[in-house]
Amino acid sequence: MEDMFVNRLVLASASPRRLDLLRQIGVTPLAVDPADIDESPLPRELPVQHAARLAAEKASAVARRHPDSLVLAADTVVACGRRILPKAETESQARTCLSLLSGRRHRVFGGVVLLVPAPGGGEPRVVERLVRTDVTFKPLSHEEVADYLASGEWQGKAGGYAIQGRAGAFVRWLGGSYSNVVGLPLHEVAGMLHGVGYRPPVGLP
């Protein structure tokens, strides 16, 4: 299987952070093709189930457009207890998230799915991982929250923060994969790609 999938990798994500993370480990996808799916949680769906389901649905949707390529999809879910925090689209949402996270521990679940084309056009093989990272924020002052909201970094971020930006100063303790919180657990992804025979082509960044 070696070299079977040289440069035949499609990233099913619009996230520039995930693309940058892949490039960090020497992987440049042949294409970036975001999946257009409903990301709303199902009734009574737990955070871990939500992350796994969305990653699988994203991969499946994009694989139909790229039947001869590896398709990598991921989803990141920030959870406070059993509560799934939104990808903050408004300042009010971000403020609510930061208020919930202030001074307490939360979990970040990363669902990752890699679909491997089957010989002869059959159903693709599914390789999946679920990664959990525990993060503890320090108690946030009103001024810190206001300054962070003014920065705009929270826009579109799960849980209303980006750990690789100014919110890194909020983190008192982290257990597990840092890159998982950014958007993609690199140790697991590298192992998945290697395990199915993907080899980055020589000469690409």
Side-chain angles (χ1 to χ4, degrees), residues 127-168:
V127 182
E128 53 192 342
R129 298 288 186 274
L130 185 69
V131 179
R132 167 179 164 171
T133 306
D134 295 328
V135 183
T136 301
F137 271 17
K138 70 174 186 175
L140 303 178
S141 68
H142 292 299
E143 182 180 21
E144 286 173 319
V145 171
D147 287 346
Y148 190 71
L149 292 175
S151 76
E153 280 190 357
W154 50 269
Q155 295 180 355
K157 305 297 193 302
Y161 76 94
I163 195 171
Q164 70 275 23
R166 299 184 184 190

Side-chain angles (χ1 to χ4, degrees), residues 19-173:
L19 183 58
D20 287 344
L21 285 167
L22 282 177
R23 287 173 172 163
Q24 182 179 318
I25 59 171
V27 175
T28 299
L30 174 66
V32 175
D33 187 1
D36 183 17
I37 65 169
D38 183 358
E39 299 190 20
S40 304
L42 299 176
R44 296 183 296 280
E45 187 173 42
L46 296 176
V48 64
Q49 296 169 333
H50 186 59
R53 178 178 64 83
L54 288 190
E57 290 186 0
K58 290 176 181 180
S60 179
V62 173
R64 288 193 286 270
R65 301 194 288 266
H66 304 273
D68 298 321
S69 297
L70 293 169
V71 174
L72 178 69
D75 193 75
T76 304
V77 173
V78 176
C80 193
R82 296 166 62 93
R83 180 171 180 173
I84 297 172
L85 300 190
K87 293 180 179 177
E89 300 297 340
T90 66
E91 189 171 296
S92 177
Q93 282 184 323
R95 187 185 300 277
T96 298
C97 289
L98 293 173
S99 176
L100 286 168
L101 300 177
S102 176
R104 63 186 297 187
R105 182 177 299 185
H106 63 277
R107 294 163 297 156
V108 180
F109 294 103
V112 184
V113 170
L114 181 65
L115 294 186
V116 184
E123 286 296 313
R125 177 160 65 96
V126 180
V127 182
E128 53 192 342
R129 298 288 186 274
L130 185 69
V131 179
R132 167 179 164 171
T133 306
D134 295 328
V135 183
T136 301
F137 271 17
K138 70 174 186 175
L140 303 178
S141 68
H142 292 299
E143 182 180 21
E144 286 173 319
V145 171
D147 287 346
Y148 190 71
L149 292 175
S151 76
E153 280 190 357
W154 50 269
Q155 295 180 355
K157 305 297 193 302
Y161 76 94
I163 195 171
Q164 70 275 23
R166 299 184 184 190
F170 301 160
V171 178
R172 171 178 286 174
W173 177 86

